[in-house]
Amino acid sequence: MVLQIPVDHSAKTGTMSQGGAIEVLPDLAFFRCGIANLIFVGPRDAGDRNWVLVDAGVMGWAEQIRTAAGFRFGIGARPTAIVLTHGHFDHVGALKELAEEWDAPVYAHRLEHPYLNGTAAYPPADPWVGGGLVALLSKVFPRGPVDVGERLHALPEDGTVPGLGGWRWIHTPGHAPGHVSLWRERDRTLIAGDAFVTTAQESIYEVLTQEPELHGPPRYFTPDWHASGVSVQVLSAFEPEVVVTGHGEALRGPKMRAALERLAKEFDEVAVPKTGVYVERPERAEDGSAYHRA
């Protein structure tokens, strides 16, 4: 059983737009690629090279992503950059195809680069962490690297985000060594990636129903629970007004903040599995254990 922190439906935010993207703010929308979200950042009808794609969905969704981007920004409009919260398969599935077609640079934290330049694989999934069918199936999910070659760049050390003025990246490891979240102070908007999510990603039922709930990161692919808990505490302290995550609905307002604060305080009880490979033996970047042979 995966514990959850329910959030009132009134905290859900976003309106479906033509092309399938769900607009959360005039310059922010997310697009659901099966089991995961990607984010379009930039004003509607921005045109060519005036917007940024955050994450790249699952394999087989490139055409739908291009179509959604075309409806939002203009037919043929290419992003300034593709920014990755991390490199798991459900966030980079269409990355190589889109980066090549759009001739777009790819930015990620330097600790994620081994998973994006073909040199390392993620730690094996832990299918026995509980929660449902998705967790049980995770043992067959891809964990090997993609290779985007010379298009890959490190996020700037000063915390800025290429192509996104007013945003900064925050290192939020735990779910992945180089996981980052994106924060915009002026309207307190947070793109959290999988640092925490708003659905029980381990359960196929929850993935389908998308009930608004606050959860820790997907359990089956989280190798460092201590770091993950610290990351959630860091993000909760920002007191965001709007949150978009890698899985689940976008949420906003005081009820969301209260749930996030509770998740941060009760992380060990709510998010961390009672048993699991990485509960007992975390794998981290510091000692190289998070990087497996590709």
Side-chain angles (χ1 to χ4, degrees):
M1 177 180 178
V2 175
L3 299 177
Q4 73 279 343
I5 299 174
V7 182
D8 191 278
H9 278 253
S10 64
K12 289 173 58 175
T13 187
T15 304
M16 181 73 74
S17 56
Q18 192 174 16
I22 299 172
E23 183 173 291
V24 179
L25 296 168
D27 65 348
L28 183 71
F30 71 96
F31 181 71
R32 186 168 293 126
C33 299
I35 64 171
N37 300 330
L38 56 78
I39 297 93
F40 296 125
V41 188
R44 294 186 297 272
D45 302 314
D48 195 42
R49 303 301 195 199
N50 289 312
W51 58 281
V52 167
L53 178 68
V54 179
D55 291 340
V58 298
M59 186 176 294
W61 280 75
E63 182 176 353
Q64 294 96 317
I65 296 167
R66 284 192 296 266
T67 298
F71 274 109
R72 184 155 185 85
F73 300 114
I75 301 301
R78 300 165 296 173
T80 305
I82 300 173
V83 176
L84 299 177
T85 61
H86 62 301
H88 282 155
F89 80 100
D90 50 348
H91 294 258
V92 301
L95 176 64
K96 190 169 184 178
E97 181 176 347
L98 293 175
E100 290 177 356
E101 179 174 335
W102 284 334
D103 189 24
V106 176
Y107 289 90
H109 193 283
R110 59 180 179 79
L111 292 178
E112 286 296 284
H113 282 208
Y115 309 122
L116 301 167
N117 63 18
T119 62
Y122 283 102
D126 185 357
W128 307 113
V129 289
L133 182 60
V134 177
L136 290 172
L137 291 174
S138 65
K139 61 185 176 182
V140 300
F141 291 167
R143 61 185 185 88
V146 297
D147 186 356
V148 292
E150 294 182 357
R151 298 184 190 279
L152 180 62
H153 304 275
L155 285 165
E157 293 293 335
D158 63 2
T160 57
V161 183
L164 291 182
W167 291 83
R168 64 187 179 98
W169 63 266
I170 304 157
H171 188 204
T172 47
H175 186 58
H179 188 288
V180 299
S181 304
L182 307 183
W183 171 249
R184 185 165 64 183
E185 176 66 31
R186 67 172 172 80
D187 57 359
R188 312 193 72 75
T189 297
L190 175 66
I191 298 173
D194 285 3
F196 64 88
V197 296
T198 60
T199 188
Q201 191 59 26
E202 298 81 7
S203 164
I204 189 66
Y205 174 80
E206 296 284 351
V207 170
L208 291 173
T209 59
Q210 298 285 295
E211 284 294 311
E213 302 167 347
L214 261 286
H215 292 261
R219 289 179 165 191
Y220 47 83
F221 262 169
T222 299
D224 187 346
W225 285 103
H226 174 73
S228 184
V230 172
S231 292
V232 172
Q233 292 171 2
V234 167
L235 295 178
S236 176
F238 283 107
E239 299 184 345
E241 173 61 23
V242 176
V243 164
V244 183
T245 67
H247 304 274
E249 300 285 352
L251 302 177
R252 74 182 308 152
K255 293 176 180 177
M256 173 273 293
R257 282 193 295 278
L260 181 55
E261 181 180 2
R262 182 181 165 197
L263 178 64
K265 289 180 177 178
E266 302 177 15
F267 189 84
D268 288 349
E269 293 76 25
V270 174
V272 180
K274 299 305 179 188
T275 60
V277 172
Y278 303 115
V279 175
E280 305 298 330
R281 180 180 53 81
E283 297 199 357
R284 298 175 170 130
E286 292 87 339
D287 61 8
S289 59
Y291 303 109
H292 289 242
R293 180 174 296 180

